[in-house]
Amino acid sequence: MATKYVYFFGDGKAEGKGDMKNLLGGKGANLAEMTSIGLPVPAGFTLTTDVCTEFYKNDRQYPAELKGQVDEKLRQVEKLMGKKFGDSKNPLLVSVRSGARASMPGMMDTVLNLGLNDKTVQGIIEQSGDLRFAYDSYRRFIQMYSNVVLEMDGDILEHILEQMKESRGVEEDTKLTAEDLKELVTLFKTKVKEEIGREFPDDPQEQLWGAIGAVFGSWMNPRAITYRKLNGIPAEWGTAVNVQSMVYGNMGDDCATGVAFTRNPSTGENVFFGEFLINAQGEDVVAGIRTPQPINKAGGDGTLPSMEEVMPECYGQLMKIQQILEKHYRDMQDIEFTIEKDKLYMLQTRGGKRTAKAAVKIAVDMVKEGLISEKEGVLRVEPEQLDQLLHPSLDPKAAKDVIAKGLPASPGAASGEVVFSADEAEEAAKIGLKVILVRVETSPEDIHGMHAAQGILTARGGMTSHAAVVARGMGKCCVAGCGDIKVDYKTQQFTAKGNVIKKGDVITLDGSTGEVMKGEVPTVQPELTGEFGILMGWVDKYRRLRVRTNADTPHDAKVARDFGAEGIGLCRTEHMFFEADRIMAVREMILAEDLEGRKRALSKILPMQKGDFLGLFREMKGLPVTIRLLDPPLHEFLPQSDEDIEELAGVMNVTAATLKHKVEFLHEFNPMLGHRGCRLGVTFPEIYDMQVQAIMEAACELVKDEGYQIVPEIMIPLVSEVRELAILRANAVRIADEVVGRYGVEVEYLIGTMIELPRAALTADAIAEEAEFFSFGTNDLTQTTYGLSRDDAGKFLPFYVEREIFPNDPFVAIDQAGVGQLVKVGCDKGRATRPNIKLGICGEHGGEPSSVIFCHQIGLDYVSCSPFRVPIARLAAAHAVLLEEQ
Ligand code: ADP
Ligand code: MG
Ligand code: MG
């Protein structure tokens, strides 16, 4: 049997279904689904994603069967509508719409009113009795077709339209007369011929196939490629094409088009939310050509009448449909609708993009409403998304110089220097500048700049404008439709209520209130209560993996505990050595001539280290704390400038020249692979002895005097050979037991090691003889497995990732095939020797969702990550369990 490439939908029946997104794309599958549940959807058909795949495989040729199948479905639509494509009496007009599997808002192009030419337009006039409408549709068609299919710069015809409006003295295109529009059609066609060197295609069949080809072609256009890259959508998925009979929102004041969300996409509130425009078509609402009106009183500020007021019947019907859709899809929907002569049509539905705040609230509310289960609620929030919630918002007590107010399109706070183009934003971000992208409105071409900017400010467009939708998807702060500002690209500045803001000036945006402020406004940490707390409660119920934090100070420890950390997985002691009040003693220790000198200096450091550990243990209130003994090469602590060397020489009572010589002597060619980690402990045992003593004295004191339960975990870094660990373990045990004996209390402790060298992973069975726990240091393990230094990788790693030589930056997401395999080998061998060995990971990967899921799969006990990523890791750990169940 021949492959079926085309699927029909219309009049309550559809060949496709909602779960056929892979084949029909998101839009096509949902059009089919909406049709079959009885919603009013204009009839049409979908060309499958297989066509796209075949098209690219066969050098941009369609499968042979396609033409016949399209003709057949077109006839079916004609029959249903009682119209004929290309007919001069009663012509069928169609839209040609792209639709990939995952929704890609605004990325692919749509052509409306296709099938119009000088003959068919007469049929439209005859049928509608509306000359103005007929020519408005015609001129729109030429505009869209020449832009999307003929690849003409959209500004060229837009400019002619602007000139026409100017000469007629009108502000809006709805004020142009039928004669004006008819004249525009002629002007447009002449211009198109001038630009492309041939006539605008009049033959509807040619138009149709031109548009289909353009949609398939647009799958590989730069902005679609950028969007896919940013969102991890594979190129192989392909897009589908939908051909659908037109309904007209531009036939007069009993017509309209609009966009709505079944719940507020910004806050998550369960309030139907949307915008519409009377006498408008297609993208008019999102493009921001006029300020859209709210669909209901709840969503507006009272200045513009709502659909609820001006079209109460249609509103009532829309309200019912949105409820049906939400129940049916069991998720918040983003819908498009058009009203033709007081009759409502549904043109699209899809899962709505939402901010993290909204995602959490909607998930929790839907569980409470009984619409979804707790587990589904947990899976509805993407771990990475939580990042948005954990970041600061504007300090309510700070002074604010508000210069303008727009729509609160995407929440959060952002400060930065003003730039006026996406390219500039990208350039500036490359050199580490924080910028705010200011545009009259954004378009899909601006995606890369929106990505690079801290926040986005637009003068035009509503809550459903391109800028607003994309910013929310990116979790980026955005103020849209800020009519208070006048942007002038030429002079590179904008004005707002008498203020002139130039390129490079700093402004602050509050995406939750819509306020635009001069200068930088201080921020405060968010409160994590309410729905967030409820969701995290479910998360903790379902996850198996524990989540600890990497923290060196009591302050970090507190932040992490508030975020739900269940212990410290990595406390780096070297940060403590750098503190101003002790760096001198540390340097003295390093540069001492002999053991006696070293011990003298170490005895000065001991009480300070003990103080550090007391603080940390107190903050963690009995939760496990893993302390890593000194790791970096010693020369990192040494003075480099002559001034500092002289000062230290004075303290140590030696000459500056001697000291300088010593500093040079400690220099290493490749410190990452040099005299560091346990190699220091083996050659200068007194350093680790002091640290173990400080750890154990702090623990004993708290247990004895303050009644704490503490089991310190002493961790030895950079072991490659079990004998290193055997020596250091024996030393540590001797010191620890001495301290415990001296205090006369019962304090248990564990001694373990980092597994961060390939040799350690491969000999983990032997190492486990001496270690009660392993912590996989995946930063160093990644460096040593790949044989690359992270500090030097900047010169080539971005290129590798860009060219997809490496699928990801291996320092961000763990390389499962290589580094991950070593971790797995290390786990298996460790457990073979010591079945109850504690296993964790403390690299940066511990807070990256795909890596966390991997850690769950290979059976680690915990991950440890930076404090702000603790909730992300918790959620990812729950996803790991729930995805396994699916
Ligand atoms: P996008 O993927 O960018 O949202 P769409 O294919 O949904 O593009 O179409 C763009 C606009 O055109 C939408 O507002 C949609 O509602 C409108 N539209 C598409 N097809 C039709 C149609 N057959 N009749 C009326 N309006 C349509
Ligand atoms: Mg759409
Ligand atoms: Mg390390």
Side-chain angles (χ1 to χ4, degrees), residues 670-695:
N670 203 339
M672 185 193 94
L673 302 176
H675 191 186
R676 56 169 286 215
C678 67
R679 299 161 193 173
L680 289 172
V682 170
T683 47
F684 301 120
E686 52 284 358
I687 301 177
Y688 280 12
D689 287 355
M690 179 279 289
Q691 292 196 292
V692 172
Q693 187 181 340
I695 295 168

Side-chain angles (χ1 to χ4, degrees), residues 27 97 336 348 350:
K27 201 176 286 166
R97 323 170 62 186
E336 292 176 5
Q348 190 170 337
R350 63 183 168 203

